[in-house]
Amino acid sequence: MTIILTILKWIGIILLVVLVILLLLLLLVLFVPIRYKLRAAVNDPESHEEFPLNVLKEQSDVMAEVTWFWGILKVLVQYPGEKLLDIRIFGKSLPIGGGGEEKEEATGEPEKEEKEEEKKEEDAESVIGRIGRLFDKADYYWRVITGRCGRRATDKIISAVKNIVLHVIPQAWKVRGTLGLSDPCLNGKISGLNAILMTMLNKRIDVNTQWERYRCDLNAEIAGKIVLIYPAGQVIPLIFDKDIRKVIKKIRRAGARFG
């Protein structure tokens, strides 16, 4: 009996340790911010008579970086570069993409021919019937969303999405360089808009104008962070909201009702 109690005691201790570790990991995921950076540049300082689409593609450079827990986890997307996507844990890159031999798929030509014949046999009445059911379903969805319960649910979802977007948008960003579109009228509008935005956005936009020819020599930098506890705090109440649950039930009924 003593041995059994000892075994149960150690099992309980192990389960408690595992539970504490999982709780700590959850707290880390929720409270440690995810930081992101984006740098994009088009290095085409030479002027052109025509819009140099191929030059812009060749001279573009984009780098996006997402880090978590002080760089323990890092996701890097870079173009151009040796690797478009690079995921690193403790500084070591994870192998992305698999090797493995591709299996040959059966052609299934007889089955394809039968399916094509079945499609050809569909007449105009069946197509009209499907369109009619589609309109009926759309009308049903619209009545659900615009009803009292639907309006309350929609307002709550829109409010949550707005709050999440305001939390996610970058705290620091800047665009600078030179832009020219070979149209004096259009360039004048861009220059005027740039002057207005510089005062409104605390000089985050600093774009000079090339008046007579095409030119695109721009550099953009964006940085921000996301703390997952905030989006989770916005989404979790929606999951248990009565109005939203009622709307979801009504929408699910549409599948059985209209097929």
Side-chain angles (χ1 to χ4, degrees):
M1 188 67 180
T2 305
I3 296 174
I4 295 175
L5 292 176
T6 303
I7 294 173
L8 293 176
K9 176 183 176 181
W10 281 106
I11 291 174
I13 293 173
I14 292 171
L15 291 176
L16 181 61
V17 170
V18 172
L19 182 61
V20 170
I21 292 173
L22 292 176
L23 181 60
L24 289 175
L25 289 176
L26 178 61
L27 292 176
L28 286 175
V29 171
L30 291 176
F31 287 97
V32 175
I34 299 171
R35 302 183 183 276
Y36 63 89
K37 295 180 182 178
L38 174 65
R39 292 196 296 269
V42 180
N43 301 312
D44 183 28
E46 299 296 331
S47 300
H48 304 272
E49 293 292 340
E50 297 181 356
F51 188 75
L53 184 60
N54 58 336
V55 176
L56 293 181
K57 184 177 180 181
E58 294 173 358
Q59 300 298 328
S60 297
D61 187 8
V62 180
M63 190 280 290
E65 181 182 86
V66 178
T67 58
W68 178 74
F69 205 53
W70 297 283
I72 289 179
L73 175 63
K74 181 182 290 187
V75 179
L76 182 66
V77 178
Q78 189 169 4
Y79 174 84
E82 296 180 359
K83 296 175 67 175
L84 179 62
L85 176 62
D86 187 13
I87 301 176
R88 301 176 185 177
I89 298 179
F90 293 101
K92 294 184 178 180
S93 297
L94 297 179
I96 301 174
E101 298 179 354
E102 297 182 356
K103 296 182 180 179
E104 295 183 359
E105 297 181 356
T107 56
E109 293 181 357
E111 294 181 0
K112 290 183 180 180
E113 292 178 358
E114 291 179 1
K115 290 181 180 180
E116 290 178 357
E117 291 179 359
E118 290 177 358
K119 289 181 180 179
K120 291 179 181 179
E121 291 177 356
E122 291 181 355
D123 53 7
E125 293 182 359
S126 63
V127 175
I128 293 173
R130 290 183 179 181
I131 295 174
R133 288 194 297 272
L134 182 62
F135 276 104
D136 292 338
K137 185 182 290 187
D139 179 67
Y140 177 79
Y141 288 157
W142 177 254
R143 285 187 282 109
V144 169
I145 294 173
T146 55
R148 291 183 179 179
C149 182
R151 289 199 301 270
R152 290 195 299 267
T154 303
D155 291 340
K156 293 173 185 177
I157 293 173
I158 292 175
S159 177
V161 171
K162 180 181 177 181
N163 292 334
I164 292 173
V165 170
L166 291 175
H167 175 73
V168 171
I169 59 176
Q171 288 81 27
W173 61 275
K174 189 171 184 179
V175 179
R176 58 182 182 271
T178 303
L179 177 65
L181 298 177
S182 184
D183 184 349
C185 181
L186 186 57
N187 286 331
K189 293 179 180 179
I190 294 175
S191 180
L193 180 62
N194 180 35
I196 296 173
L197 292 177
M198 283 181 65
T199 57
M200 293 176 60
L201 299 175
N202 195 22
K203 298 183 179 180
R204 295 182 185 271
I205 297 180
D206 184 12
V207 179
N208 299 318
T209 305
Q210 173 74 32
W211 292 97
E212 298 179 355
R213 309 181 79 184
Y214 284 104
R215 179 178 172 184
C216 186
D217 185 21
L218 297 174
N219 191 324
E221 297 179 0
I222 296 173
K225 64 180 181 179
I226 304 170
V227 183
L228 292 181
I229 187 63
Y230 186 81
Q234 296 292 323
V235 173
I236 291 175
L238 299 180
I239 297 175
F240 299 98
D241 185 82
K242 293 181 179 179
D243 293 326
I244 294 176
R245 292 172 73 89
K246 288 180 181 178
V247 170
I248 292 174
K249 287 181 180 179
K250 291 180 180 179
I251 290 176
R252 285 179 177 175
R253 291 174 190 167
R257 181 176 177 182
F258 299 102

mmCIF file of all heavy atoms in Angstrom, residues 218-252:
data_model
loop_
_atom_site.group_PDB
_atom_site.id
_atom_site.type_symbol
_atom_site.label_atom_id
_atom_site.label_comp_id
_atom_site.label_asym_id
_atom_site.label_seq_id
_atom_site.Cartn_x
_atom_site.Cartn_y
_atom_site.Cartn_z
ATOM 1 N N LEU A 218 12.767 54.968 -53.304
ATOM 2 C CA LEU A 218 12.037 55.067 -52.046
ATOM 3 C C LEU A 218 12.538 54.037 -51.042
ATOM 4 O O LEU A 218 13.004 52.962 -51.419
ATOM 5 C CB LEU A 218 10.533 54.852 -52.277
ATOM 6 C CG LEU A 218 9.826 55.886 -53.167
ATOM 7 C CD1 LEU A 218 8.391 55.459 -53.405
ATOM 8 C CD2 LEU A 218 9.877 57.275 -52.532
ATOM 9 N N ASN A 219 12.395 54.397 -49.777
ATOM 10 C CA ASN A 219 12.785 53.511 -48.690
ATOM 11 C C ASN A 219 11.731 53.625 -47.598
ATOM 12 O O ASN A 219 11.456 54.724 -47.110
ATOM 13 C CB ASN A 219 14.167 53.913 -48.155
ATOM 14 C CG ASN A 219 14.730 52.861 -47.216
ATOM 15 O OD1 ASN A 219 13.996 52.242 -46.469
ATOM 16 N ND2 ASN A 219 16.038 52.690 -47.258
ATOM 17 N N ALA A 220 11.139 52.485 -47.207
ATOM 18 C CA ALA A 220 10.098 52.471 -46.178
ATOM 19 C C ALA A 220 10.520 51.550 -45.036
ATOM 20 O O ALA A 220 11.053 50.461 -45.270
ATOM 21 C CB ALA A 220 8.771 52.006 -46.764
ATOM 22 N N GLU A 221 10.269 51.998 -43.811
ATOM 23 C CA GLU A 221 10.583 51.213 -42.622
ATOM 24 C C GLU A 221 9.373 51.207 -41.688
ATOM 25 O O GLU A 221 8.788 52.252 -41.416
ATOM 26 C CB GLU A 221 11.799 51.800 -41.898
ATOM 27 C CG GLU A 221 13.082 51.767 -42.712
ATOM 28 C CD GLU A 221 14.254 52.373 -41.963
ATOM 29 O OE1 GLU A 221 14.032 52.815 -40.816
ATOM 30 O OE2 GLU A 221 15.358 52.416 -42.520
ATOM 31 N N ILE A 222 9.017 50.022 -41.224
ATOM 32 C CA ILE A 222 7.865 49.853 -40.340
ATOM 33 C C ILE A 222 8.277 48.957 -39.180
ATOM 34 O O ILE A 222 8.976 47.957 -39.384
ATOM 35 C CB ILE A 222 6.673 49.225 -41.083
ATOM 36 C CG1 ILE A 222 6.179 50.155 -42.197
ATOM 37 C CG2 ILE A 222 5.522 48.920 -40.128
ATOM 38 C CD1 ILE A 222 5.120 49.536 -43.078
ATOM 39 N N ALA A 223 7.858 49.306 -37.971
ATOM 40 C CA ALA A 223 8.174 48.498 -36.795
ATOM 41 C C ALA A 223 7.025 48.589 -35.799
ATOM 42 O O ALA A 223 6.409 49.640 -35.639
ATOM 43 C CB ALA A 223 9.476 48.955 -36.144
ATOM 44 N N GLY A 224 6.738 47.489 -35.148
ATOM 45 C CA GLY A 224 5.670 47.463 -34.159
ATOM 46 C C GLY A 224 5.736 46.192 -33.336
ATOM 47 O O GLY A 224 6.651 45.369 -33.482
ATOM 48 N N LYS A 225 4.765 46.032 -32.470
ATOM 49 C CA LYS A 225 4.718 44.836 -31.639
ATOM 50 C C LYS A 225 3.269 44.440 -31.388
ATOM 51 O O LYS A 225 2.351 45.275 -31.471
ATOM 52 C CB LYS A 225 5.443 45.054 -30.311
ATOM 53 C CG LYS A 225 4.799 46.105 -29.421
ATOM 54 C CD LYS A 225 5.577 46.254 -28.124
ATOM 55 C CE LYS A 225 4.920 47.296 -27.204
ATOM 56 N NZ LYS A 225 5.645 47.450 -25.935
ATOM 57 N N ILE A 226 3.067 43.159 -31.086
ATOM 58 C CA ILE A 226 1.747 42.611 -30.800
ATOM 59 C C ILE A 226 1.845 41.816 -29.503
ATOM 60 O O ILE A 226 2.674 40.915 -29.386
ATOM 61 C CB ILE A 226 1.259 41.699 -31.939
ATOM 62 C CG1 ILE A 226 1.262 42.449 -33.278
ATOM 63 C CG2 ILE A 226 -0.135 41.162 -31.643
ATOM 64 C CD1 ILE A 226 1.019 41.546 -34.471
ATOM 65 N N VAL A 227 0.998 42.157 -28.542
ATOM 66 C CA VAL A 227 0.899 41.387 -27.302
ATOM 67 C C VAL A 227 -0.397 40.585 -27.395
ATOM 68 O O VAL A 227 -1.490 41.160 -27.403
ATOM 69 C CB VAL A 227 0.894 42.302 -26.067
ATOM 70 C CG1 VAL A 227 0.855 41.474 -24.788
ATOM 71 C CG2 VAL A 227 2.130 43.193 -26.066
ATOM 72 N N LEU A 228 -0.287 39.282 -27.495
ATOM 73 C CA LEU A 228 -1.430 38.439 -27.820
ATOM 74 C C LEU A 228 -2.535 38.459 -26.774
ATOM 75 O O LEU A 228 -3.675 38.107 -27.077
ATOM 76 C CB LEU A 228 -0.965 36.994 -28.038
ATOM 77 C CG LEU A 228 -0.114 36.755 -29.284
ATOM 78 C CD1 LEU A 228 0.254 35.285 -29.396
ATOM 79 C CD2 LEU A 228 -0.845 37.207 -30.540
ATOM 80 N N ILE A 229 -2.225 38.862 -25.537
ATOM 81 C CA ILE A 229 -3.258 38.900 -24.511
ATOM 82 C C ILE A 229 -4.355 39.898 -24.893
ATOM 83 O O ILE A 229 -5.532 39.699 -24.545
ATOM 84 C CB ILE A 229 -2.655 39.246 -23.127
ATOM 85 C CG1 ILE A 229 -3.705 39.114 -22.029
ATOM 86 C CG2 ILE A 229 -2.036 40.620 -23.149
ATOM 87 C CD1 ILE A 229 -4.256 37.741 -21.841
ATOM 88 N N TYR A 230 -3.984 40.951 -25.619
ATOM 89 C CA TYR A 230 -4.987 41.954 -25.980
ATOM 90 C C TYR A 230 -5.956 41.433 -27.049
ATOM 91 O O TYR A 230 -7.174 41.508 -26.849
ATOM 92 C CB TYR A 230 -4.314 43.239 -26.450
ATOM 93 C CG TYR A 230 -5.297 44.360 -26.691
ATOM 94 C CD1 TYR A 230 -5.775 45.120 -25.625
ATOM 95 C CD2 TYR A 230 -5.766 44.641 -27.967
ATOM 96 C CE1 TYR A 230 -6.694 46.139 -25.836
ATOM 97 C CE2 TYR A 230 -6.683 45.656 -28.185
ATOM 98 C CZ TYR A 230 -7.144 46.403 -27.119
ATOM 99 O OH TYR A 230 -8.057 47.388 -27.327
ATOM 100 N N PRO A 231 -5.478 40.890 -28.187
ATOM 101 C CA PRO A 231 -6.428 40.291 -29.135
ATOM 102 C C PRO A 231 -7.246 39.157 -28.519
ATOM 103 O O PRO A 231 -8.427 39.008 -28.815
ATOM 104 C CB PRO A 231 -5.527 39.784 -30.269
ATOM 105 C CG PRO A 231 -4.298 40.605 -30.180
ATOM 106 C CD PRO A 231 -4.106 40.889 -28.726
ATOM 107 N N ALA A 232 -6.589 38.352 -27.655
ATOM 108 C CA ALA A 232 -7.326 37.264 -27.005
ATOM 109 C C ALA A 232 -8.431 37.826 -26.122
ATOM 110 O O ALA A 232 -9.544 37.281 -26.073
ATOM 111 C CB ALA A 232 -6.365 36.411 -26.179
ATOM 112 N N GLY A 233 -8.153 38.919 -25.431
ATOM 113 C CA GLY A 233 -9.174 39.548 -24.597
ATOM 114 C C GLY A 233 -10.321 40.115 -25.402
ATOM 115 O O GLY A 233 -11.431 40.282 -24.871
ATOM 116 N N GLN A 234 -10.088 40.415 -26.678
ATOM 117 C CA GLN A 234 -11.156 40.896 -27.549
ATOM 118 C C GLN A 234 -11.960 39.753 -28.174
ATOM 119 O O GLN A 234 -13.174 39.874 -28.376
ATOM 120 C CB GLN A 234 -10.559 41.768 -28.663
ATOM 121 C CG GLN A 234 -9.887 43.036 -28.186
ATOM 122 C CD GLN A 234 -10.867 44.041 -27.620
ATOM 123 O OE1 GLN A 234 -11.978 44.190 -28.113
ATOM 124 N NE2 GLN A 234 -10.449 44.733 -26.574
ATOM 125 N N VAL A 235 -11.291 38.644 -28.456
ATOM 126 C CA VAL A 235 -11.940 37.542 -29.176
ATOM 127 C C VAL A 235 -12.708 36.613 -28.240
ATOM 128 O O VAL A 235 -13.819 36.171 -28.563
ATOM 129 C CB VAL A 235 -10.883 36.749 -29.974
ATOM 130 C CG1 VAL A 235 -11.505 35.496 -30.584
ATOM 131 C CG2 VAL A 235 -10.276 37.619 -31.060
ATOM 132 N N ILE A 236 -12.136 36.307 -27.071
ATOM 133 C CA ILE A 236 -12.753 35.326 -26.163
ATOM 134 C C ILE A 236 -14.176 35.726 -25.761
ATOM 135 O O ILE A 236 -15.089 34.882 -25.787
ATOM 136 C CB ILE A 236 -11.858 35.107 -24.936
ATOM 137 C CG1 ILE A 236 -10.584 34.369 -25.350
ATOM 138 C CG2 ILE A 236 -12.587 34.308 -23.862
ATOM 139 C CD1 ILE A 236 -9.571 34.199 -24.250
ATOM 140 N N PRO A 237 -14.443 36.989 -25.399
ATOM 141 C CA PRO A 237 -15.833 37.336 -25.083
ATOM 142 C C PRO A 237 -16.789 37.138 -26.247
ATOM 143 O O PRO A 237 -17.972 36.830 -26.041
ATOM 144 C CB PRO A 237 -15.741 38.827 -24.689
ATOM 145 C CG PRO A 237 -14.341 39.013 -24.246
ATOM 146 C CD PRO A 237 -13.526 38.105 -25.106
ATOM 147 N N LEU A 238 -16.289 37.299 -27.484
ATOM 148 C CA LEU A 238 -17.155 37.094 -28.646
ATOM 149 C C LEU A 238 -17.563 35.633 -28.782
ATOM 150 O O LEU A 238 -18.665 35.326 -29.239
ATOM 151 C CB LEU A 238 -16.442 37.551 -29.921
ATOM 152 C CG LEU A 238 -16.050 39.034 -29.998
ATOM 153 C CD1 LEU A 238 -15.357 39.321 -31.315
ATOM 154 C CD2 LEU A 238 -17.267 39.925 -29.830
ATOM 155 N N ILE A 239 -16.675 34.715 -28.397
ATOM 156 C CA ILE A 239 -16.972 33.290 -28.512
ATOM 157 C C ILE A 239 -18.154 32.908 -27.622
ATOM 158 O O ILE A 239 -18.995 32.076 -28.004
ATOM 159 C CB ILE A 239 -15.730 32.462 -28.135
ATOM 160 C CG1 ILE A 239 -14.593 32.751 -29.131
ATOM 161 C CG2 ILE A 239 -16.054 30.969 -28.119
ATOM 162 C CD1 ILE A 239 -13.290 32.074 -28.781
ATOM 163 N N PHE A 240 -18.268 33.542 -26.471
ATOM 164 C CA PHE A 240 -19.323 33.203 -25.512
ATOM 165 C C PHE A 240 -20.492 34.191 -25.553
ATOM 166 O O PHE A 240 -21.408 34.080 -24.745
ATOM 167 C CB PHE A 240 -18.746 33.155 -24.094
ATOM 168 C CG PHE A 240 -17.666 32.126 -23.928
ATOM 169 C CD1 PHE A 240 -16.330 32.482 -23.985
ATOM 170 C CD2 PHE A 240 -17.981 30.791 -23.737
ATOM 171 C CE1 PHE A 240 -15.324 31.536 -23.836
ATOM 172 C CE2 PHE A 240 -16.991 29.837 -23.592
ATOM 173 C CZ PHE A 240 -15.664 30.208 -23.642
ATOM 174 N N ASP A 241 -20.454 35.130 -26.473
ATOM 175 C CA ASP A 241 -21.523 36.114 -26.570
ATOM 176 C C ASP A 241 -22.814 35.468 -27.078
ATOM 177 O O ASP A 241 -22.808 34.719 -28.064
ATOM 178 C CB ASP A 241 -21.101 37.252 -27.502
ATOM 179 C CG ASP A 241 -22.125 38.356 -27.531
ATOM 180 O OD1 ASP A 241 -22.107 39.197 -26.614
ATOM 181 O OD2 ASP A 241 -22.934 38.373 -28.469
ATOM 182 N N LYS A 242 -23.941 35.759 -26.414
ATOM 183 C CA LYS A 242 -25.225 35.133 -26.773
ATOM 184 C C LYS A 242 -25.688 35.546 -28.163
ATOM 185 O O LYS A 242 -26.179 34.712 -28.937
ATOM 186 C CB LYS A 242 -26.275 35.504 -25.734
ATOM 187 C CG LYS A 242 -26.021 34.914 -24.351
ATOM 188 C CD LYS A 242 -27.138 35.311 -23.388
ATOM 189 C CE LYS A 242 -26.894 34.693 -22.011
ATOM 190 N NZ LYS A 242 -27.959 35.076 -21.041
ATOM 191 N N ASP A 243 -25.567 36.824 -28.481
ATOM 192 C CA ASP A 243 -26.030 37.289 -29.787
ATOM 193 C C ASP A 243 -25.241 36.636 -30.920
ATOM 194 O O ASP A 243 -25.811 36.206 -31.929
ATOM 195 C CB ASP A 243 -25.889 38.818 -29.872
ATOM 196 C CG ASP A 243 -26.832 39.526 -28.913
ATOM 197 O OD1 ASP A 243 -27.945 39.017 -28.694
ATOM 198 O OD2 ASP A 243 -26.450 40.586 -28.382
ATOM 199 N N ILE A 244 -23.930 36.551 -30.768
ATOM 200 C CA ILE A 244 -23.099 35.960 -31.815
ATOM 201 C C ILE A 244 -23.394 34.469 -31.957
ATOM 202 O O ILE A 244 -23.463 33.935 -33.073
ATOM 203 C CB ILE A 244 -21.613 36.214 -31.513
ATOM 204 C CG1 ILE A 244 -21.318 37.713 -31.599
ATOM 205 C CG2 ILE A 244 -20.713 35.446 -32.480
ATOM 206 C CD1 ILE A 244 -19.916 38.087 -31.222
ATOM 207 N N ARG A 245 -23.602 33.788 -30.845
ATOM 208 C CA ARG A 245 -23.916 32.355 -30.899
ATOM 209 C C ARG A 245 -25.260 32.119 -31.591
ATOM 210 O O ARG A 245 -25.423 31.158 -32.346
ATOM 211 C CB ARG A 245 -23.918 31.774 -29.486
ATOM 212 C CG ARG A 245 -22.533 31.741 -28.854
ATOM 213 C CD ARG A 245 -22.612 31.352 -27.392
ATOM 214 N NE ARG A 245 -22.918 29.931 -27.250
ATOM 215 C CZ ARG A 245 -21.998 28.981 -27.196
ATOM 216 N NH1 ARG A 245 -20.707 29.300 -27.278
ATOM 217 N NH2 ARG A 245 -22.331 27.730 -27.048
ATOM 218 N N LYS A 246 -26.229 33.006 -31.351
ATOM 219 C CA LYS A 246 -27.523 32.881 -32.018
ATOM 220 C C LYS A 246 -27.382 33.081 -33.527
ATOM 221 O O LYS A 246 -27.982 32.352 -34.323
ATOM 222 C CB LYS A 246 -28.504 33.902 -31.447
ATOM 223 C CG LYS A 246 -28.988 33.584 -30.041
ATOM 224 C CD LYS A 246 -29.956 34.657 -29.555
ATOM 225 C CE LYS A 246 -30.432 34.360 -28.131
ATOM 226 N NZ LYS A 246 -31.344 35.428 -27.635
ATOM 227 N N VAL A 247 -26.580 34.083 -33.907
ATOM 228 C CA VAL A 247 -26.379 34.341 -35.341
ATOM 229 C C VAL A 247 -25.700 33.155 -36.009
ATOM 230 O O VAL A 247 -26.065 32.750 -37.121
ATOM 231 C CB VAL A 247 -25.563 35.633 -35.523
ATOM 232 C CG1 VAL A 247 -25.136 35.793 -36.980
ATOM 233 C CG2 VAL A 247 -26.363 36.843 -35.075
ATOM 234 N N ILE A 248 -24.712 32.562 -35.347
ATOM 235 C CA ILE A 248 -24.013 31.412 -35.909
ATOM 236 C C ILE A 248 -24.970 30.230 -36.091
ATOM 237 O O ILE A 248 -24.942 29.534 -37.112
ATOM 238 C CB ILE A 248 -22.827 31.022 -35.001
ATOM 239 C CG1 ILE A 248 -21.758 32.104 -35.051
ATOM 240 C CG2 ILE A 248 -22.237 29.680 -35.439
ATOM 241 C CD1 ILE A 248 -20.616 31.883 -34.086
ATOM 242 N N LYS A 249 -25.860 30.011 -35.110
ATOM 243 C CA LYS A 249 -26.841 28.928 -35.225
ATOM 244 C C LYS A 249 -27.773 29.154 -36.404
ATOM 245 O O LYS A 249 -28.091 28.225 -37.147
ATOM 246 C CB LYS A 249 -27.639 28.817 -33.930
ATOM 247 C CG LYS A 249 -26.866 28.234 -32.766
ATOM 248 C CD LYS A 249 -27.746 28.133 -31.529
ATOM 249 C CE LYS A 249 -26.974 27.540 -30.358
ATOM 250 N NZ LYS A 249 -27.819 27.461 -29.128
ATOM 251 N N LYS A 250 -28.213 30.390 -36.587
ATOM 252 C CA LYS A 250 -29.111 30.695 -37.711
ATOM 253 C C LYS A 250 -28.408 30.500 -39.047
ATOM 254 O O LYS A 250 -29.008 30.023 -40.011
ATOM 255 C CB LYS A 250 -29.623 32.124 -37.582
ATOM 256 C CG LYS A 250 -30.575 32.325 -36.416
ATOM 257 C CD LYS A 250 -31.048 33.775 -36.336
ATOM 258 C CE LYS A 250 -32.010 33.979 -35.161
ATOM 259 N NZ LYS A 250 -32.460 35.378 -35.058
ATOM 260 N N ILE A 251 -27.130 30.885 -39.098
ATOM 261 C CA ILE A 251 -26.380 30.725 -40.345
ATOM 262 C C ILE A 251 -26.156 29.250 -40.646
ATOM 263 O O ILE A 251 -26.218 28.814 -41.806
ATOM 264 C CB ILE A 251 -25.046 31.484 -40.255
ATOM 265 C CG1 ILE A 251 -25.308 32.993 -40.261
ATOM 266 C CG2 ILE A 251 -24.116 31.103 -41.401
ATOM 267 C CD1 ILE A 251 -24.077 33.835 -40.070
ATOM 268 N N ARG A 252 -25.911 28.450 -39.629
ATOM 269 C CA ARG A 252 -25.741 27.014 -39.840
ATOM 270 C C ARG A 252 -27.024 26.371 -40.366
ATOM 271 O O ARG A 252 -26.977 25.426 -41.154
ATOM 272 C CB ARG A 252 -25.315 26.346 -38.540
ATOM 273 C CG ARG A 252 -23.858 26.604 -38.162
ATOM 274 C CD ARG A 252 -23.523 25.938 -36.852
ATOM 275 N NE ARG A 252 -22.110 26.114 -36.503
ATOM 276 C CZ ARG A 252 -21.570 25.704 -35.366
ATOM 277 N NH1 ARG A 252 -22.330 25.096 -34.440
ATOM 278 N NH2 ARG A 252 -20.292 25.892 -35.132
#
